[in-house]
Amino acid sequence: MNQTPTAVRRSVIAGCGSALPQRVMTNADMSKVVDTTDEWIVERTGIHARHIANDSETTRTLGVEAARRALDHAGLTPDAVDLIILATSTPDQTFPATATLVQADLGITRGAAFDVQAVCSGFVYAMSVADAMIKSGQAECVLVIGSETFSRILDWTDRGTCVLFGDGAGAMVLKAETLPDSQESPGILVTRIRSDGRYHDKLYVDGGPSTTRTVGHLRMEGREVFKHAVVNIATIMDEAMKAANVAPKDVDWFVPHQANRRILEGTARKLGIREDRIVMTLDRHGNTSAASIPLAFDVAVRDGRIKRGDLVLFEAMGGGFTWGAILARF
Ligand code: COA
């Protein structure tokens, strides 16, 4: 006997958008700033270039631009939005939350707006919170944004870190829809977030309002981060897929946080993921922290790779350590 699936409330990705600063900084440009070479950067990371914000481009302005494009893509106007969650580690000001600045620029005066801080895992955390707010009936239409200006917190004399990062923003619009409870229905299927604060000194910023009263600079033990990244990412992706009862071969696209080509290839090998199923934009964008996932997703949607109905797995790992994964049908 055929049973009709029950209806569930799902968070559907209604649209996406992104924004990049105008200025492109290539590895050749980088070699004029620190003692490095294009060969070294490409071989160790896969990065060829990154965008760097000028003084008038900030986390707020990039976030607003990405948000407007995501709303356009969804065919919605700002008045549809009742929640903004913005993931960033490089806010315009210590407070108020950059999300409220974006809210004001979009002319939205209802609902709520707040920032989420989970460094490079920020977008996955923000999506998990947005999904929970939608599923619990507290929001109908959420603008989830990842926006960063990491160039402002880099130590431009440290060649081990400044070559890795770039600036940018990405956004998605999540809309509540009541749909048949089936994996074939669009929307977020699984969210998983984790953190382990014992590793805070492997990747951190050496300043803050309550300690040094300064913003500080990014510090990292690259090898340690690398080692943990492959294991943590592979484990959480596996957990997310098992929770939805899907295998790597069922996933149409992997949209990872864009940290390092070798981390992505190592993870893919561990899980048996085909490399041509991975969306990689780090060659052009570098590591844009919380912005990298929505930025990569937007690129692949607009160039026609990711289509409606595709099963997409997002994953990230960042300072904290924090990490997480999200499985969604577009
Ligand atoms: N150009 C040239 N040489 C560089 C360099 C650069 N930009 N940065 C570091 N080096 C040198 C080091 O000084 C060192 O030289 P030495 O052997 O003479 O001391 C040598 O390269 C090796 O340094 P090491 O840090 O051990 O290199 P690595 O192979 O671990 O690669 C990373 C460095 C950062 C690329 C790598 O560790 C990495 O990708 N880690 C993960 C970082 C990451 O993704 N972080 C974000 C997570 S969200």
Side-chain angles (χ1 to χ4, degrees), residues 113-222:
F114 59 87
D115 287 358
V116 160
Q117 218 289 39
V119 205
C120 296
S121 314
F123 195 79
V124 169
Y125 270 61
M127 287 279 273
S128 306
V129 176
D131 184 47
M133 292 291 277
I134 284 179
K135 287 197 173 132
S136 65
Q138 294 186 74
E140 292 297 320
C141 181
V142 189
L143 198 45
V144 189
I145 305 167
S147 186
E148 301 277 18
T149 43
F150 256 54
S151 62
R152 313 281 211 252
I153 56 163
L154 296 175
D155 174 352
W156 286 96
T157 63
D158 176 14
R159 66 179 181 172
T161 54
C162 73
V163 302
L164 304 174
F165 296 90
D167 301 333
M172 291 187 201
V173 180
L174 290 185
K175 265 195 81 183
E177 281 188 39
T178 302
L179 297 163
D181 187 8
S182 147
Q183 258 187 32
E184 301 312 310
S185 297
I188 292 179
L189 301 172
V190 177
T191 66
R192 285 283 182 279
I193 53 170
R194 283 291 325 274
S195 69
D196 189 339
R198 286 176 299 171
Y199 298 100
H200 64 92
D201 59 346
K202 306 291 176 217
L203 177 53
Y204 66 103
V205 165
D206 62 3
S210 163
T211 50
T212 59
R213 302 166 197 203
T214 61
V215 171
H217 291 114
L218 183 145
R219 305 290 171 211
M220 180 176 71
E221 285 179 39

Side-chain angles (χ1 to χ4, degrees), residues 29-56:
D29 298 329
M30 194 60 84
S31 69
K32 294 179 192 131
V33 178
V34 284
D35 181 15
T36 190
T37 59
D38 178 53
E39 294 72 37
W40 193 96
I41 301 173
V42 172
E43 195 208 307
R44 306 278 175 129
T45 71
I47 299 166
H48 291 260
R50 71 288 290 145
H51 290 249
I52 301 292
N54 64 32
D55 287 348
S56 65

